[in-house]
Amino acid sequence: MQKSHIVILIAGFLVAAGMVMSYYGASLVAAGVERNEGILNGTAPIQVTKELDPAISDTAVFVVQSEGFADASLVAKLFDPSNQIISTKKIEQKSIEEKFVIPAKGTYRLELENEKQTEVHAIIGLTHMPDKMIISLNYLGQMFILSGFVGVVVSGIFALKSRKKAQLR
């Protein structure tokens, strides 16, 4: 078997393994996210609630993604179990991710409101911060995919070199 065939088989295996690892890691991250989606037009906020426990993870994260945020005035407010605001964030970009410390066990609420009357499509999410091993699994999968594509380039170079050698004979 030629070197280029071996390299392309290994590269294909790396890409396939990387895709599986990346998909599995992303699934584990997304499994615990409470999310809500809606159209904000200044009349009613959208909200999501999630039971958070510092025994599971002492850090949590909320995510806001919005289309058309430039025409709106979006503000995300995070409430603790006693209904006190623990964080307020003005949304000035399409997607934000904000970490916060979980002070006590209970139901936390994320609320997104539009202070203008323009319609904006938004998705909000609230979850515990994923474990570093799960995040590493996702990154490792992406590195496998990248390594596999580099292997495809290397096998192409091997194939070209062997073809040139065969033509010179």
Side-chain angles (χ1 to χ4, degrees):
M1 195 177 244
Q2 293 179 338
K3 287 182 183 179
S4 64
H5 291 100
I6 293 171
V7 173
I8 205 149
L9 284 174
I10 293 170
F13 172 75
L14 285 173
V15 169
M19 290 174 77
V20 169
M21 289 170 63
S22 191
Y23 173 78
Y24 185 65
S27 296
L28 289 174
V29 168
V33 178
E34 288 294 326
R35 57 187 154 258
N36 192 5
E37 174 176 359
I39 305 279
L40 292 166
N41 59 7
T43 57
I46 59 173
Q47 61 183 1
V48 65
T49 58
K50 170 105 175 142
E51 181 78 22
L52 298 175
D53 187 357
I56 295 172
S57 174
D58 62 346
T59 307
V61 64
F62 69 84
V63 178
V64 177
Q65 292 182 337
S66 60
E67 293 291 329
F69 69 94
D71 298 332
S73 179
L74 300 179
V75 177
K77 295 178 183 174
L78 182 66
F79 296 87
D80 68 4
S82 63
N83 212 24
Q84 299 294 316
I85 296 175
I86 59 173
S87 178
T88 301
K89 178 84 173 170
K90 182 153 178 62
I91 309 303
E92 297 174 342
Q93 52 190 346
K94 184 177 180 175
S95 179
I96 67 143
E97 182 178 300
E98 190 77 21
K99 295 178 189 176
F100 64 95
V101 176
I102 305 170
K105 181 179 180 177
T107 302
Y108 288 76
R109 183 180 79 213
L110 176 64
E111 194 172 275
L112 182 66
E113 59 186 32
N114 184 0
E115 295 174 343
K116 292 185 178 176
Q117 295 301 316
T118 57
E119 285 192 353
V120 177
H121 181 260
I123 302 170
I124 59 174
L126 183 61
T127 189
H128 286 97
M129 186 66 186
D131 185 41
K132 289 181 182 183
M133 288 299 292
I134 294 172
I135 294 171
S136 297
L137 180 68
N138 204 4
Y139 284 129
L140 185 62
Q142 293 172 9
M143 290 299 114
F144 272 34
I145 292 169
L146 184 63
S147 299
F149 285 131
V150 168
V152 169
V153 170
V154 169
S155 75
I157 292 170
F158 275 139
L160 286 174
K161 281 186 175 183
S162 66
R163 188 172 280 167
K164 282 185 180 180
K165 283 181 184 178
Q167 287 176 352
L168 292 175
R169 290 182 191 169

